[in-house]
């Protein structure tokens, strides 16, 4: 009789276990490793790995940069501690696919909000207004875009930044295209080129590196407006709203200002004030 009671109890426990598994547990987790309501075991966030000051994987395996700081703050507001974040490298060409596949929950990776991209993904933010600019040596006589006529201008292969300058500002500039911005920076340091162009935030991040501090300056030309947003899978309005709330809090408690100063300050980056949520500057 006692054996029969134990067996019945075990059977009841098994039924309860099966029912709990069917109703929740791991089955509620998204493919990006987070639970649908936030606060799961892990959250996967897409960033760049190769942009100092924004998204950089350090030699010791840690991550640094403004995008990393913003994403960490947002994740905290969503219920995740830093040790629950899994950073995923998302290169520019694969950002939309990474979101649609569910590889990551959101992306903070110098991701400019454009009408074309908004057809494929949703955006929270913007959280930073950047501009296309020039990086030159501290003692450079280049002060305006037209001063680039006859000068050597560097950018990465496939980028439209340098071509924009040549087409609209300095038609006699000599373009030099290389594989990475690090190569451009080395060429600028050696004098092989006279200027480097891309977003001012990216330029400031490179110039803020210890080995380059005090050597370069931003021209401050504001050749374009780049509204950096946080990319979210199309249709995930709930996550967009939560991220927007987190960004507003980050600005109001001054964490945003602190992150800007820590990541761009050494390059004397004259940043724009924190943008208002939903305010896209054309």
């Amino acid at each position: 009789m006692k054996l029969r009671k134990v067996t019945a109890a075990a059977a009841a426990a098994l039924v309860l276990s099966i029912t709990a598994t069917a109703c929740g547990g791991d089955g509620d987790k998204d493919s990006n490793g987070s639970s649908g309501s936030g606060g799961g075991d892990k959250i996967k966030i897409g960033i760049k790995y190769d942009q100092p000051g924004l998204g950089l994987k350090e030699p010791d395996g840690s991550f640094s940069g403004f995008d990393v700081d913003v994403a960490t703050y947002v994740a905290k507001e969503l219920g995740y501690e830093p040790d629950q974040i899994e950073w995923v490298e998302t290169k520019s060409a694969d950002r939309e696919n990474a979101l649609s596949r569910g590889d990551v929950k959101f992306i903070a990776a110098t991701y400019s909000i454009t009408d074309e991209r908004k057809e494929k993904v949703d955006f929270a933010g913007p959280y930073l207004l950047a501009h296309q600019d020039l990086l030159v040596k501290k003692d450079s006589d280049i002060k305006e875009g037209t001063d680039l006529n006859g000068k050597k201008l560097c950018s990465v292969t496939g980028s439209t930044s340098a071509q924009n300058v040549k087409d609209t500002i300095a038609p006699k500039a000599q373009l030099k295209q290389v594989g990475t911005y690090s190569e451009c920076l080395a060429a600028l340091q050696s004098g092989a080129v006279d200027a480097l162009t891309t977003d001012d935030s990216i330029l400031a991040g490179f110039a803020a590196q210890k080995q380059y501090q005090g050597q370069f300056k931003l021209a401050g030309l504001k050749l374009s407006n780049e509204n950096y947003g946080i990319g979210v899978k199309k249709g995930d309005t709930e996550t967009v709203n939560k991220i927007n709330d987190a960004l507003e809090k980050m600005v109001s408690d001054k964490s945003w200002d602190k992150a800007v100063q820590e990541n761009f300050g050494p390059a004397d980056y004259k940043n724009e004030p924190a943008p208002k949520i939903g305010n896209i500057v054309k």
Side-chain angles (χ1 to χ4, degrees):
M1 200 64 172
K2 181 181 280 189
L3 177 61
R4 208 172 278 174
K5 286 182 179 178
V6 172
T7 303
L14 178 61
V15 170
L16 287 172
S17 174
I18 293 172
T19 303
T21 302
C23 294
D26 291 341
D28 277 349
K29 290 188 178 180
D30 300 329
S31 58
N32 54 43
S34 61
S35 68
S37 59
D41 293 336
K42 292 284 186 180
I43 183 170
K44 294 182 179 180
I45 302 174
I47 58 169
K48 294 286 183 68
Y49 275 21
D50 58 354
Q51 290 184 339
L54 287 153
L56 182 69
K57 185 174 184 179
E58 302 285 0
D60 64 359
S62 63
F63 297 89
S64 66
F66 183 71
D67 285 347
V68 173
D69 289 347
V70 169
T72 300
Y73 189 100
V74 168
K76 175 77 171 179
E77 292 301 304
L78 294 181
Y80 299 90
E81 297 299 325
D83 62 1
Q84 292 178 288
I85 297 173
E86 182 178 336
W87 300 109
V88 178
E89 182 177 22
T90 49
K91 296 182 179 180
S92 296
D94 195 45
R95 287 179 296 204
E96 287 82 21
N97 290 333
L99 287 169
S100 65
R101 290 192 304 257
D103 295 346
V104 294
K105 187 68 173 177
F106 63 83
I107 294 175
T110 58
Y111 203 178
S112 295
I113 301 172
T114 66
D115 290 338
E116 181 181 4
R117 288 171 178 163
K118 284 163 66 175
E119 293 179 1
K120 301 176 182 177
V121 303
D122 286 337
F123 283 99
Y127 63 91
L128 184 72
L129 176 60
H131 308 280
Q132 185 186 341
D133 201 357
L134 302 176
L135 188 71
V136 296
K137 283 189 172 181
K138 276 283 190 181
D139 59 355
S140 174
D141 58 359
I142 297 175
K143 297 179 180 179
E144 299 180 359
T146 53
D147 293 335
L148 284 170
N149 281 312
K151 304 285 189 179
K152 295 176 181 177
L153 177 65
C154 190
S155 193
V156 298
T157 302
S159 169
T160 59
S161 299
Q163 193 62 49
N164 287 342
V165 171
K166 186 173 175 63
D167 290 345
T168 62
I169 300 173
K172 295 182 180 179
Q174 303 171 38
L175 296 187
K176 178 179 178 64
Q177 295 183 311
V178 296
T180 66
Y181 290 117
S182 295
E183 293 176 67
C184 272
L185 203 60
L188 181 60
Q189 185 181 40
S190 69
V193 299
D194 302 293
L196 161 59
T197 187
T198 187
D199 295 356
D200 54 6
S201 57
I202 297 174
L203 296 174
F206 275 101
Q209 295 178 96
K210 289 183 179 179
Q211 65 268 37
Y212 296 126
Q213 287 181 15
Q215 298 184 41
F216 307 109
K217 65 181 180 182
L218 289 159
L221 300 185
K222 298 185 179 180
L223 301 175
S224 71
N225 295 320
E226 306 296 335
N227 300 271
Y228 290 173
I230 293 182
V232 176
K233 188 174 183 178
K234 191 71 175 175
D236 189 357
T237 306
E238 180 182 0
T239 298
V240 169
N241 291 337
K242 288 180 178 179
I243 293 176
N244 281 334
D245 289 343
L247 293 175
E248 289 181 341
K249 183 177 178 181
M250 186 177 187
V251 172
S252 66
D253 69 13
K254 305 300 181 182
S255 297
W256 187 91
D257 295 302
K258 181 181 178 183
V260 168
Q261 183 58 38
E262 288 180 349
N263 291 291
F264 304 128
D268 194 26
Y269 177 49
K270 296 176 176 59
N271 63 282
E272 297 278 5
K276 294 186 181 300
I277 299 301
N279 184 25
I280 309 300
V281 179
K282 299 294 186 177

